[in-house]
Amino acid sequence: MKAGQSVFATVSNFLSERFPVEHMNFQHMVEKKDVPVHNMSWGYYTGGLTLFFLMVQVVTGLFLLFYYQPTVSDAHLSVEFINKHVAGGALIRNMHTWSASCMIFFAMLHLLTSFAMKAFEKPRELTWIFGVLLLFLTFTFGFTGYLLPWNQIAVNATKVGLQSVEAVGEYLPGALSQLPHILRETFQGEASVGQSTLGRFYALHVVLLPLALLGLISLHLLSVQLHGMSRGVDQPTKKSERFFPFFIFKDLSLWSIVFLLLLILAWCIPFDSFLPYPLLAPYNALGSTPAGIKPEWYFYFLYYPLEMLPFWLILLATGLAVLVLIFTPWIFKGTSRKTLGLITVLASLYLVVMTVFGEQIYHMVKP
Amino acid sequence: MWRAKSTKESISAGFLLAVLLLLSGSAAECYPEYQAFIEKRSGKTVDCAVCHVNANGPVGRESGQIGSLSQKQLAQLNAARAAIEPEMLKEDNPILNRLGNSIIRTIGKKKFLEHRQDPEKLAELLGNKSDLDNDGIPDSQEYLDGTDALNSSHGEPFKLFLVNLNRYKYHLALAALAVFILDWGFAHLIQGFYLQSKMGKAGNHE
């Protein structure tokens, strides 16, 4: 902040640089927008694919809303009804679950490629932060949606998740230590995971989170369109292509192919077939917890380390990772793209190993 | 003489007791040998719902368990217990699900009990004809894979993929055609907008 400059003026300058309203016209945002062509150009498609899967989520989710009943007595039955008796119900539900996983996969890939391409450089800091918040929001969508079928794995995994939230309180100082407990009580709504929890998760999943997502994604996309595509590589490339119509053509063609692949997956492999069937049985509050309860695959990178290492260590690492992600534009301001690429490769390696081999590693460490 | 009669009687009594124990045992247990075999072979968790109505097995008062049966169902259960050979089975066992009853109808209770020590043989005895959930994977294969033989949405993912790909090939071909036509239409629409905006600009310059 320069001497004599008020805080308001500083904030105002910062925001006007990040949201240059003079660029807010069709000519600048569409007609004159160029997309650099280089060996990392494929990274520019990952954001679009995430958006595409979000649109599939919205459409299929709306269809599911017609039949799904958010009550503990009827939730599981209504999901079974959708699967077995509604015309195209199984296909729609499978598209919803498959595209949820795909959306999270591409959101993570988009974050990693954006990091490697240094797409967070000034004036795109806020674009990056909105993106990180969108990724967290996507994970929350996954967590809240997991409970809705009200089967054994859904309820028991949610219980474990909420217990983990409460356990964080032990490591926080003073009044802050009560915050996780309050959060758990708020989301759980009663002594154990029950009707109140289902109602609240449902409200979060279909109303509150979509509203938050709509706001954040609007800001993220607006900021992307205002600033154009980031350079992506150290040496400015001479080759570029017009966003309109050439990049949009390619994007649409890719979306078509991906839609077909999604359709094949949803038609041919019911998502539930990856789970042992006792975990898909309706939740029985009086029964014992079945073996094999674990979260969705996209939480494995956090879940298996939690099972193997002390809680405080994972909490510390997660807290640090979140802070680093949010402050990336400032922490890695002077870092070269080569170094960023190396960090990305290491982070990707960790995510892939934990997701694919996490269970085997866990059994090796704790036989 | 007395001694001989006594021996004969004790043999009969012993046989009767053994049969009763066998029958009562078979009704009350869910044969964990089969469950253990499936879990070991498939690497997946399974429960008594492989063959029984209730996932917690036949004993208890919950739905599908012996304690919840009506008089008529109990009579049905006893008749099913007594049927050692498949042809002796008149009605389904009320504590078994469709797969459980299908197994007993196909191979009979005697053979089922005989193969407790060799559970892999059960798949062979069942053959490949029966597919109760009509998902394209035979019940015997679902038994080996540890998947739900009564749920068409549950099976070994790759096997389901191949079966469904073949089953829905015409649906998928039509979907592919529709998607590509839509893509072609959108591409031309965007091209139209692009050309129109270019022509508009050219007109303005003139």
Side-chain angles (χ1 to χ4, degrees), chain A residues 339-353:
Chain A
T339 314
L340 291 176
L342 192 71
I343 297 171
T344 310
V345 169
L346 290 175
S348 310
L349 208 65
Y350 167 76
L351 289 171
V352 171
V353 167

Side-chain angles (χ1 to χ4, degrees), chain A residues 26-27 31 83-84 90 242 244-246 248-249 252-253 256-257 259-260 263-265 267-270 272-278 280 284 287-288 291-292, chain B residues 44-47 49-50 56 62 146-148 151-155 157 160-161 164-165 168 171-172 175-176 179-180 183 186-188 190-191 193-194 197 201:
Chain A
F26 185 75
Q27 203 184 25
E31 283 183 335
N83 270 347
K84 290 179 181 166
R242 286 264 174 215
F244 177 79
F246 304 112
I248 292 184
F249 276 163
L252 271 178
S253 303
S256 308
I257 293 165
F259 179 72
L260 266 179
L263 208 61
I264 292 171
L265 281 175
W267 231 321
C268 299
I269 313 179
D272 285 349
S273 61
F274 289 99
L275 290 168
Y277 68 85
L280 302 169
N284 179 5
S288 54
Chain B
K44 294 189 187 98
T45 315
V46 295
D47 56 22
V50 174
N56 295 321
E62 287 177 26
T147 54
D148 192 349
N151 180 358
S152 60
S153 298
H154 202 265
L160 272 182
F161 175 71
N164 288 331
L165 196 63
Y168 297 119
H171 297 68
L172 288 167
V179 169
F180 284 124
D183 182 45
F186 268 125
H188 280 76
I190 291 167
Q191 205 173 10
F193 284 140
Y194 175 67
S197 82
K201 269 184 202 163

Side-chain angles (χ1 to χ4, degrees), chain A residues 44-56:
Chain A
Y44 296 124
Y45 293 94
T46 54
L49 283 174
T50 314
L51 180 67
F52 167 75
F53 284 115
L54 171 68
M55 291 192 291
V56 175

